[in-house]
Amino acid sequence: MSLRLGTPRQKEEKAEVDVLIIGAGPAAFGAALYSARYKMSVLVVGEFLGGQLNNTSEIENYLGFERISASELIGRFRKHVESYGVKIIQDRISEVKRDGEGFLATTKRGMKIRSKAVIIAIGLKRRTLGVPGEKEFVGRGVSYCSICDAALFKDADAVAVVGGGDSAMEGATLLSSYAKKVFLIHRRSEFRAQPILVEEVKSKPNIELVLDTVVTEILGDKSVTGIRVKNLKTGEERVIPVKGVFLEIGFEPDLPFIQNLGLETDDYGFIKVHGYMETNVKGIFAAGDCTDLWKAFRQIITAAAQGSVAAHGAYGYVEELKLKDKKTPSSP
Amino acid sequence: MSLRLGTPRQKEEKAEVDVLIIGAGPAAFGAALYSARYKMSVLVVGEFLGGQLNNTSEIENYLGFERISASELIGRFRKHVESYGVKIIQDRISEVKRDGEGFLATTKRGMKIRSKAVIIAIGLKRRTLGVPGEKEFVGRGVSYCSICDAALFKDADAVAVVGGGDSAMEGATLLSSYAKKVFLIHRRSEFRAQPILVEEVKSKPNIELVLDTVVTEILGDKSVTGIRVKNLKTGEERVIPVKGVFLEIGFEPDLPFIQNLGLETDDYGFIKVHGYMETNVKGIFAAGDCTDLWKAFRQIITAAAQGSVAAHGAYGYVEELKLKDKKTPSSP
């Protein structure tokens, strides 16, 4: 299946639609299908066709398909949505602003889209620490994926894993069989990971727990040489020499493009939704992994369902606007 | 596709499972799929394989299938779930009681099922008025479906429609082209139906609105001859002679079998859910049309998603119970 998408023909292209759907994963497809069935004009703008589905190969948990490849399922979703004439544009929304009663979005390639409602279905991106040295040493000692990169640290004297969830535990355990020593850095004194995974970590003699501690800097020259850490209880700072730092600190939605609208998020940065996937900003709806609904259970079927519900919510909003426009006599 | 299901072999059959799923529609299938994937033992007991899907012929809004017949989709759902070894039993749960930390359910055919958790996915049944004469005259003047039965009242002097929602409006409008006179009885002074449908009703000269009024009795001999109504504002009672009464008063879950557990419902009788489809009763989860989540948007995809989420919730609950059982030393 080709992943090629429609692209804007020229920099200054403009569009005006009832609903702009941001994202191109299952939530966006669910939203697009129902938006079109509600006879709204709709445009889908997303960077990655299929979203998170691209990180899987075979899918066995989407009800109705015993087993289907991710690319085939993406293809079916796309075909279903396109059968209603919905356009999918591969681009990134760089900003969304208020524009009268609706919104004005700008894409990275310069396209301008006016819409009455917006459905955010952007999924998640890996969370970063945001400390000095992090960006500089990505791929040179800093990694966000223990499973991908552990083998690169075979026989290293020491590595650090940062985090307190399941993936941090799994990462530390895996790395303990490659590196001679693993420091597991966590900002709290308790792990939120499953007890069985914590027990496994504690059973490894070469994993040292460094609790109540945050990383304040990643040090290095050509590649990582160590991390500066600070104990939150004592205030004490020290440097731990390591060759690698694995940041297993979870995911969050990438929201700067829309934060100027005062979009409300929870403590972890997920978009707060209520009712029919409404956000706190009138006219903006959200669906899928980026929302705070069922956050610990991010599945294709739940994303698609949330998208469909967001379309229902957006339909109600757009109908209300249209009714209001009819009642207000236009100014002379 | 055959709709035949497994049936209990003998009256006294017993089963013991982690999760009992009540219902056999999309919500139940979603719950069964994920329950099985979480390696829980699971039993599905429902009266109607496919649930509400049986009232549709072609489906075009389940993401991934551009167009599929209802019976084929039911078949695919069933096959998917059965591929995990899940048993589906065609029977009706007549009672669910507390049984230690779990539950004991009894079916109409006498099967006893013990389970740690229960997922209610029973869908909805038509609401009834519960007034004298209603049951007696079903099919002899009392109808719950204007679209099905309107033509039977061609040239009747008068009929009544009871309700204030979309289907009451559509029913009254349709009936106004058959019967000479239509009384539209509604207990409030405002309709909750879409404004456009209300306008259509009001444009028909032979529809008379009877507001703030309830039906207290349905009168008749061989068939319906009239209705006794009461104005809620004035207290005045009177009899309106009609040949037919169309009760378009919506749907609600059929919950008597479980109400002894103190299950909380909203004003319309829908099961209140929160978090991962938990009800107010620990260990009981709910999914699909019978819940108060997205009540105005009852779709296959939302039911299936809610079922999956309920399985996730039930898994957490069952794991917790198992952990507790391990920690508590058995009594001597």
Side-chain angles (χ1 to χ4, degrees):
Chain A
M1 189 199 61
S2 162
L3 286 188
R4 257 169 161 276
L5 296 168
T7 50
R9 270 153 300 180
Q10 52 174 110
K11 268 214 155 192
E12 282 308 296
E13 201 174 351
K14 286 176 184 176
E16 189 159 349
V17 290
D18 290 330
V19 200
L20 166 63
I21 297 169
I22 308 178
F29 285 121
L33 172 62
Y34 273 85
S35 293
R37 288 180 61 88
Y38 276 124
K39 304 259 180 213
M40 294 192 284
S41 58
V42 46
L43 196 60
V44 177
V45 179
E47 279 186 283
F48 307 107
L49 187 71
Q52 272 295 112
L53 274 180
N54 290 301
N55 299 331
T56 323
S57 54
E58 295 292 323
I59 288 154
E60 299 178 335
N61 59 10
Y62 186 71
L63 189 63
F65 294 99
E66 266 180 72
R67 189 179 173 87
I68 186 169
S69 75
S71 63
E72 198 188 331
L73 192 60
I74 296 170
R76 290 189 72 125
F77 285 177
R78 182 183 179 181
K79 199 163 155 260
H80 196 172
V81 163
E82 288 182 339
S83 76
Y84 288 86
V86 172
K87 255 204 198 166
I88 302 168
I89 291 175
Q90 189 171 21
D91 199 347
R92 183 185 170 87
I93 300 286
S94 46
E95 194 188 29
V96 176
K97 289 193 299 190
R98 268 265 167 232
D99 178 43
E101 292 203 292
F103 302 93
L104 176 63
T106 311
T107 75
K108 206 172 150 189
R109 297 189 183 170
M111 189 178 181
K112 304 267 185 200
I113 304 153
R114 267 172 224 282
S115 69
K116 293 188 177 67
V118 172
I119 297 175
I120 307 176
I122 55 171
L124 298 173
K125 66 158 189 132
R126 281 182 190 283
R127 193 177 282 138
T128 58
L129 275 186
V131 299
E134 181 178 7
K135 268 190 194 164
E136 292 86 326
F137 294 110
V138 166
R140 294 189 293 142
V142 170
S143 165
Y144 297 92
C145 181
S146 311
I147 291 169
C148 320
D149 299 333
L152 302 173
F153 293 83
K154 193 166 186 298
D155 297 328
D157 285 335
V159 298
V161 175
V162 183
D166 287 357
S167 56
M169 299 306 123
E170 287 166 344
T173 300
L174 179 63
L175 280 156
S176 73
S177 64
Y178 288 104
K180 289 175 190 154
K181 172 99 187 184
V182 177
F183 295 94
L184 177 54
I185 322 279
H186 183 41
R187 59 183 166 160
R188 302 190 209 280
S189 52
E190 294 280 336
F191 296 110
R192 68 167 191 285
Q194 296 174 51
I196 190 167
L197 298 177
V198 177
E199 269 166 39
E200 204 173 349
V201 160
K202 287 182 175 167
S203 74
K204 302 289 177 191
N206 62 335
I207 299 182
E208 183 178 332
L209 304 187
V210 186
L211 301 177
D212 301 310
T213 296
V214 293
V215 174
T216 57
E217 191 180 351
I218 294 169
L219 308 165
D221 35 60
K222 278 186 188 158
S223 63
V224 168
T225 57
I227 49 175
R228 189 184 303 279
V229 298
K230 182 179 180 177
N231 185 303
L232 293 173
K233 288 208 168 151
T234 63
E236 186 207 341
E237 286 198 35
R238 62 175 169 134
V239 168
I240 304 177
V242 294
K243 297 259 194 250
V245 191
F246 290 84
L247 302 173
E248 295 283 7
I249 51 178
F251 295 81
E252 65 184 356
D254 194 12
L255 288 173
F257 75 94
I258 204 156
Q259 281 301 22
N260 63 76
L261 291 172
L263 196 68
E264 219 181 302
T265 55
D266 72 4
D267 291 348
Y268 297 90
F270 289 70
I271 302 169
K272 281 192 184 180
V273 290
H274 64 274
Y276 293 90
M277 305 310 286
E278 297 140 52
T279 70
N280 67 310
V281 182
K282 268 211 114 178
I284 299 194
F285 301 80
D289 292 1
C290 62
T291 77
D292 70 341
L293 181 65
W294 304 332
K295 224 167 53 177
F297 186 69
R298 299 192 292 257
Q299 302 296 307
I300 304 168
I301 191 103
T302 51
Q306 288 189 17
S308 311
V309 175
H312 175 79
Y315 173 69
Y317 179 79
V318 167
E319 282 298 295
E320 217 177 84
L321 273 194
K322 285 181 179 170
L323 214 66
K324 219 162 85 182
D325 284 352
K326 265 189 204 158
K327 282 185 184 162
T328 317
S330 53
S331 51
Chain B
M1 189 200 63
S2 162
L3 287 187
R4 256 169 161 275
L5 296 166
T7 50
R9 268 153 302 179
Q10 53 175 108
K11 270 215 155 192
E12 282 309 296
E13 200 174 351
K14 286 177 184 175
E16 189 158 351
V17 290
D18 290 329
V19 200
L20 166 64
I21 297 170
I22 308 178
F29 285 122
L33 173 62
Y34 273 86
S35 293
R37 289 180 61 88
Y38 276 123
K39 304 259 180 214
M40 294 192 284
S41 57
V42 46
L43 195 60
V44 177
V45 180
E47 278 185 283
F48 307 106
L49 187 71
Q52 272 295 112
L53 273 179
N54 290 301
N55 299 332
T56 323
S57 54
E58 295 292 323
I59 288 153
E60 299 179 334
N61 60 9
Y62 186 72
L63 189 63
F65 293 99
E66 267 180 73
R67 188 179 174 86
I68 186 168
S69 75
S71 63
E72 198 188 331
L73 192 60
I74 295 170
R76 290 188 72 124
F77 284 177
R78 182 185 177 178
K79 201 165 153 257
H80 196 172
V81 163
E82 288 182 340
S83 76
Y84 288 85
V86 172
K87 254 204 201 166
I88 301 169
I89 290 174
Q90 189 171 21
D91 199 348
R92 183 186 172 87
I93 300 287
S94 47
E95 193 188 29
V96 176
K97 289 192 299 189
R98 267 264 166 232
D99 178 44
E101 292 202 292
F103 302 93
L104 176 63
T106 311
T107 75
K108 206 172 150 189
R109 296 190 186 171
M111 189 177 180
K112 303 269 185 200
I113 304 154
R114 267 173 226 282
S115 69
K116 293 188 177 66
V118 172
I119 297 175
I120 307 175
I122 54 171
L124 299 173
K125 65 156 189 137
R126 281 183 190 282
R127 193 176 283 137
T128 58
L129 275 185
V131 299
E134 181 179 6
K135 268 190 193 163
E136 292 84 327
F137 294 111
V138 166
R140 293 189 293 144
V142 170
S143 165
Y144 296 92
C145 180
S146 311
I147 292 169
C148 319
D149 299 334
L152 302 174
F153 293 84
K154 193 166 186 300
D155 298 326
D157 286 334
V159 298
V161 175
V162 183
D166 287 357
S167 55
M169 298 307 123
E170 288 166 343
T173 300
L174 179 64
L175 279 157
S176 73
S177 65
Y178 287 105
K180 290 174 189 154
K181 172 99 186 183
V182 178
F183 295 93
L184 177 54
I185 322 279
H186 183 41
R187 59 183 167 158
R188 301 189 210 281
S189 52
E190 294 281 336
F191 296 111
R192 67 167 192 285
Q194 297 174 51
I196 189 165
L197 298 177
V198 177
E199 269 165 41
E200 205 173 346
V201 160
K202 287 181 176 170
S203 75
K204 302 289 177 192
N206 63 335
I207 299 182
E208 182 178 332
L209 305 186
V210 185
L211 302 177
D212 301 310
T213 295
V214 293
V215 174
T216 57
E217 190 180 352
I218 294 169
L219 309 165
D221 37 61
K222 277 185 188 159
S223 62
V224 169
T225 56
I227 50 175
R228 189 184 304 279
V229 298
K230 182 179 180 176
N231 185 303
L232 293 173
K233 287 206 168 152
T234 63
E236 186 207 341
E237 286 197 34
R238 62 176 168 131
V239 169
I240 304 176
V242 294
K243 295 261 194 249
V245 191
F246 291 84
L247 302 172
E248 294 283 7
I249 51 178
F251 296 81
E252 65 184 355
D254 193 13
L255 289 173
F257 74 94
I258 204 157
Q259 280 302 21
N260 63 75
L261 291 173
L263 196 68
E264 220 181 301
T265 55
D266 72 4
D267 291 348
Y268 297 91
F270 289 71
I271 302 170
K272 282 193 184 180
V273 289
H274 64 273
Y276 293 88
M277 306 310 287
E278 297 142 51
T279 70
N280 67 311
V281 182
K282 269 212 114 179
I284 299 193
F285 300 80
D289 292 1
C290 63
T291 77
D292 70 341
L293 182 65
W294 304 331
K295 224 166 53 176
F297 185 69
R298 299 193 293 258
Q299 302 296 307
I300 304 168
I301 192 103
T302 51
Q306 288 190 17
S308 310
V309 174
H312 175 79
Y315 174 68
Y317 179 79
V318 167
E319 282 298 294
E320 215 177 86
L321 272 194
K322 284 181 179 169
L323 214 66
K324 219 163 84 182
D325 284 352
K326 264 189 203 157
K327 281 184 185 164
T328 316
S330 54
S331 50

